Amino acid sequence: MATRTAPVDYLLQLADDALVLGQRNAEWCGHGPILEEDLALANHSLDHLGLARLLYQHAATCIEADAGEQARFAHLQGARHGGVVTEDTLAYFRDAREFRNHTLAELPHHGPLAGPARTDRDFATTVVRNFLFSALTVPLWTALQDSADAQLAGIAAKSLKEARYHQRHAGDWLVRLGDGTDESHARTQAALNHLMPFCQEFWVPSEAEQQAVASGTGVALSSLREAWNATVDAALAQATLQRPADGGFVPTGKRGVHSEHMGFLLAEMQSLARAHPDAVW
């Protein structure tokens, strides 16, 4: 029986989520509220980066094996020496419209800031975002272990343990902050109110997701909604936080239409590689 592979854009969607969220968590390096959390978030960032590398490598192999995909990504083949698409070209030489990550992953570490705000990092926002995201990735990687794409199934099995740790870590902090002081509770509730609407994008399938589901290589995120809701509601109850009502604009990051924050994130992340495109790392 012929080996099936997931659609390239589906692999990129998974990889982009990992890379962009890893980049955001890395921004806490040297700025954590305590040393232990500074190191923990840096390690989480490395976990996400390692996952992104595996997925980009798989996507690059699929591109090289398909003439149509080679033509679609031809603009990247001259970005670095060798003239082939690699994990580096996929990460560092695509523009914002080519990224397929959920908008939630790219948001900065704060909600709307007041004019006199003295910092652009809010630990509660990071905790809430990491929890909401990991509550999705745990059932996602669990389900993807049965993917018809054997390579993706292996990546899922490897990533599941890390995703479970990320969920436990963020969940512990969610309860500590939500059920803590009046200030920590208020800031965590505000972060939840700000971020929860972006989770609606989880349940609106992209074309790549639909293709992956049809081929047996991917998972419909809508099938994970009940499990996600149960995990989130249980944690919020323990943290004495009120879940805001669903509603508002549904983001479109996984269709390539991103928030205004994405360009700034990529400019910082990609600047070195673009300044020295022929360098060997």
Side-chain angles (χ1 to χ4, degrees):
M1 184 173 63
T3 301
R4 280 181 276 177
T5 57
V8 168
D9 283 347
Y10 184 68
L11 296 174
L12 291 179
Q13 181 177 308
L14 297 171
D16 292 345
D17 272 339
L19 180 68
V20 172
L21 188 57
Q23 175 72 10
R24 280 303 187 206
N25 278 321
E27 292 171 348
W28 278 103
C29 188
H31 301 279
I34 56 176
L35 179 59
E36 183 177 3
E37 288 312 303
D38 195 302
L39 296 174
L41 288 173
N43 279 321
H44 289 190
S45 178
L46 289 173
D47 290 342
H48 291 306
L49 179 59
L51 170 58
R53 288 195 65 193
L54 292 174
L55 291 165
Y56 284 138
Q57 288 166 0
H58 186 22
T61 299
C62 293
I63 291 169
E64 281 302 300
D66 187 303
E69 294 291 5
Q70 287 183 39
R72 190 160 69 97
F73 289 93
H75 64 295
L76 298 181
Q77 293 172 4
R80 288 178 62 88
H81 56 86
V84 296
V85 174
T86 68
E87 60 181 285
D88 284 347
T89 55
L90 290 170
Y92 295 124
F93 293 94
R94 285 183 299 144
D95 295 328
R97 285 299 298 260
E98 297 176 272
F99 274 75
R100 294 293 179 263
N101 57 281
H102 289 88
T103 303
L104 179 65
E106 72 201 39
L107 298 176
H109 304 285
H110 60 74
L113 286 176
R118 293 182 296 173
T119 178
D120 60 358
R121 294 182 183 88
D122 177 65
F123 188 62
T125 299
T126 299
V127 165
V128 172
R129 189 237 305 275
N130 284 348
F131 177 75
L132 294 175
F133 220 96
S134 60
L136 179 73
T137 56
V138 168
L140 173 61
W141 294 123
T142 299
L144 280 175
Q145 291 180 109
D146 296 324
S147 171
D149 182 331
Q151 182 77 4
L152 179 56
I155 293 172
K158 182 180 185 302
S159 302
L160 180 57
K161 182 178 179 180
E162 293 172 347
R164 284 172 173 159
Y165 169 66
H166 297 164
Q167 179 182 319
R168 184 169 64 252
H169 176 270
D172 287 347
W173 269 107
L174 186 75
V175 173
R176 187 181 302 182
L177 295 175
D179 196 29
T181 65
D182 290 343
E183 180 180 357
S184 71
H185 176 87
R187 290 176 68 164
T188 307
Q189 184 66 59
L192 182 66
N193 294 344
H194 167 58
L195 295 174
M196 183 65 82
F198 290 92
C199 296
Q200 292 184 92
E201 187 180 7
F202 293 163
W203 322 124
V204 180
S206 66
E207 183 178 347
E209 285 177 63
Q210 293 173 323
Q211 293 172 351
V213 171
S215 68
T217 58
V219 173
L221 291 183
S222 58
S223 68
L224 310 178
R225 189 170 189 171
E226 184 177 351
W228 184 84
N229 278 328
T231 298
V232 169
D233 289 344
L236 295 184
Q238 191 176 1
T240 67
L241 296 168
Q242 296 298 314
R243 177 170 175 165
D246 293 336
F249 172 72
V250 178
T252 53
K254 60 186 177 185
R255 285 166 38 200
V257 182
H258 295 278
S259 71
E260 67 272 23
H261 308 291
M262 186 64 173
F264 294 101
L265 182 149
L266 291 181
E268 181 174 4
M269 187 184 76
Q270 297 178 337
S271 60
L272 182 62
R274 291 187 179 230
H276 303 281
D278 294 322
V280 178
W281 308 107

